Amino acid sequence: MTTTAARIYGKNDMRLETFALRKILPGEAIARVVCDSICMSTYKQLQRGKPSAVYPEKNADAPVIAGHELAAEIIETGEDVPLHIIPGMKFGVQAAMNINGEGSAPGYNYPEFGGAATRVIIPPHVLNSGFLLWYEDMPFFYASLGEPFACLIYALYGNFHTKPMERGFAPGILPGGSMMVMGGCGPMGLGMVELALNMDTRPSVIAVTDVNSERLAAAAAVIPPEYAAKKGITLHYVNTSEPCAENLKNLSIGEGFDDIYIMCPVREAIELADAVCAHGACMNFFAGPVDRELSAYINFHDVHYRAKHIVGSASSGIRDMKEAFGLMQAGRIRPEVMITHIGGIGSAVDATVNLPQLSGGKKLIYNETDLPLTAVKDFGKQKDPLFEGLDEICKRHGNLWCAEAENYLLRKYASASGL
């Protein structure tokens, strides 16, 4: 059996290669990876260079398969695999794991297990880790987006608020308060807005900012203010290309914003967020900077006298991903709001290497296809019957990628390959 995989060899060295999989050992399994969404963390890893591979130990210097936002299906098991793990089982991965006690995770440390591959070998300690989330009755791409939504859920619970002269604090965003998603027109920003609109604890006002009017318009088309209004929430999209602290404050229901999520690692965005905090505000720095020296001005007078506080949010836990799967399966959130492009395995390397320069949201790779990376909005421009069919389907679903489109795509490729 062969696999085609995007592998990281070192700093800025990522290669698409086809090679033979070895025979699996007792306790291992082989899975087909149906899809993998590309995370900015993979791009950052590529900028820093490859960590040492952790499994198997004899291949410590081997290249690692990239990608951790995967949806896959077991196709073969070795001897001594737990009885409940059988071919046909579908799973997503909680990639923020520490499987073997050394900080290992698929997409970061494994030569044979990652999302950017057609076939992978899952080692025994991963199969038994509890970090593979088995599921049924859900599109593959939902499982792929389970990990990013888990990180957003963790961030929502990570905020906290205090009351004057009272001990302790209340976790989560302020119920009925004002929330800002700074730099929120990317995939994680839109995911945060979708969650905030549909979780049990909700704000009354959400302001989404960006410095680009086209990105703001595209975001408003995906999550319109009218959609939020039906849920009793006022949703604003605001261009912050010019200083506008007072104008932003006027959009809140009080003297500023109670919960602020900073989705871009930019000094100006951090300082603007700091300037629009309400009394007792929680400012959550969600964006992960590559620059280890990133700094910004913070008003510490307000930290002391106005109880403003700052938290950081990175990664998530298995509980968060289970909640994400539950919300998806119950139809309470729309993971599709994150996705703007799909492509095949041949586009994975270029999409990862150039990710910061690519417009739109999540780039979703269907590993068993050979599609060029294509925006959902551009399906109708392609002179291809497959894209024509996908365009017709997506238009029926608000110009969003959807389960029907995924099923259509996978059926067409299965038919073409004789499966």
Side-chain angles (χ1 to χ4, degrees):
M1 187 183 297
T2 61
T3 185
T4 299
R7 300 200 285 182
I8 297 177
Y9 279 79
K11 186 175 182 179
N12 294 318
D13 186 359
M14 188 177 190
R15 311 173 197 175
L16 186 69
E17 300 172 316
T18 299
F19 54 94
L21 289 178
R22 60 175 174 79
K23 184 178 179 179
I24 57 174
L25 302 172
E28 296 180 330
I30 295 177
R32 60 183 280 254
V33 184
V34 177
C35 60
D36 179 63
S37 59
I38 301 176
C39 179
M40 186 62 74
S41 295
T42 302
Y43 169 79
K44 295 171 186 174
Q45 175 194 357
L46 188 60
Q47 297 300 301
R48 290 190 290 263
K50 179 187 75 67
S52 295
V54 297
Y55 180 86
E57 293 180 2
K58 63 181 180 180
N59 290 334
D61 295 325
V64 299
I65 296 178
H68 59 274
E69 297 179 2
L70 63 138
E73 181 180 12
I74 299 290
I75 58 174
E76 183 180 334
T77 58
E79 297 178 0
D80 300 326
V81 165
L83 293 177
H84 70 278
I85 298 177
I86 59 175
M89 292 184 69
K90 301 175 183 178
F91 65 91
V93 177
Q94 170 45 261
M97 60 179 71
N98 183 17
I99 291 177
N100 64 345
E102 298 180 14
S104 62
Y108 295 100
N109 308 95
Y110 288 85
E112 299 170 317
F113 182 38
T118 54
R119 301 289 186 273
V120 295
I121 296 176
I122 310 173
H125 63 271
V126 174
L127 283 174
N128 292 282
S129 66
F131 288 96
L132 303 185
L133 272 72
W134 312 101
Y135 71 93
E136 298 177 358
D137 303 323
M138 191 167 72
F140 284 105
F141 79 91
Y142 276 26
S144 178
L145 296 177
E147 195 275 341
F149 266 102
C151 293
L152 294 169
I153 289 171
Y154 179 82
L156 281 173
Y157 287 124
N159 274 26
F160 66 94
H161 294 273
T162 60
K163 292 184 178 180
M165 311 305 292
E166 291 188 15
R167 294 180 179 180
F169 58 87
I173 65 172
L174 187 68
S178 298
M179 176 176 169
M180 175 176 289
V181 186
M182 182 72 70
C185 290
M188 297 304 280
L190 291 175
M192 178 64 79
V193 175
E194 178 70 11
L195 276 173
L197 291 173
N198 293 291
M199 296 288 278
D200 291 334
T201 300
R202 307 176 187 179
S204 295
V205 173
I206 302 176
V208 181
T209 78
D210 201 285
V211 295
N212 182 288
S213 57
E214 291 183 4
R215 287 198 295 265
L216 286 161
V222 172
I223 307 180
E226 295 78 11
Y227 171 75
K230 292 178 181 179
K231 300 175 181 296
I233 299 172
T234 302
L235 175 61
H236 302 282
Y237 289 94
V238 185
N239 192 320
T240 55
S241 57
E242 296 183 4
C244 56
E246 289 306 313
N247 291 337
L248 280 173
K249 282 187 177 181
N250 291 335
L251 299 178
S252 71
I253 58 174
E255 56 180 3
F257 289 86
D258 305 294
D259 293 279
I260 301 177
Y261 289 90
I262 303 170
M263 314 302 286
C264 53
V266 178
R267 176 176 179 170
E268 291 79 7
I270 298 169
E271 293 180 350
L272 179 57
D274 181 68
V276 298
C277 286
H279 191 287
C282 186
M283 189 162 61
N284 191 317
F285 186 61
F286 186 91
V290 175
D291 180 6
R292 293 178 180 270
E293 304 299 324
L294 177 66
S295 60
Y297 170 83
I298 299 294
N299 185 331
F300 274 85
H301 178 278
D302 289 353
V303 171
H304 183 82
Y305 287 105
R306 303 184 72 238
K308 175 180 68 181
H309 47 282
I310 305 166
V311 298
S313 184
S315 192
S316 61
I318 194 71
R319 179 181 179 183
D320 303 301
M321 191 158 173
K322 287 180 178 179
E323 183 167 351
F325 273 29
L327 290 168
M328 293 174 184
Q329 290 171 321
R332 290 185 57 184
I333 59 171
R334 303 171 302 157
E336 46 267 43
V337 301
M338 281 192 177
I339 299 168
T340 57
H341 295 68
I342 66 164
I345 191 66
S347 62
V349 172
D350 284 346
T352 303
V353 170
N354 298 300
L355 194 58
Q357 286 75 48
L358 298 177
S359 62
K362 279 284 186 185
K363 281 62 183 177
L364 180 66
I365 304 299
Y366 282 93
N367 293 343
E368 297 175 305
T369 77
D370 58 1
L371 298 175
L373 189 69
T374 307
V376 175
K377 66 181 179 62
D378 293 335
F379 285 172
K381 300 177 183 178
Q382 311 306 309
K383 305 301 181 181
D384 184 314
L386 174 64
F387 279 110
E388 290 173 1
L390 291 173
D391 183 56
E392 181 181 336
I393 293 169
C394 291
K395 282 181 177 176
R396 293 202 302 268
H397 293 268
N399 293 312
L400 296 175
W401 186 248
C402 58
E404 185 183 354
E406 178 180 88
N407 289 335
Y408 178 86
L409 173 66
L410 296 179
R411 283 199 311 270
K412 289 292 185 181
Y413 267 88
S415 176
S417 62
L419 297 177

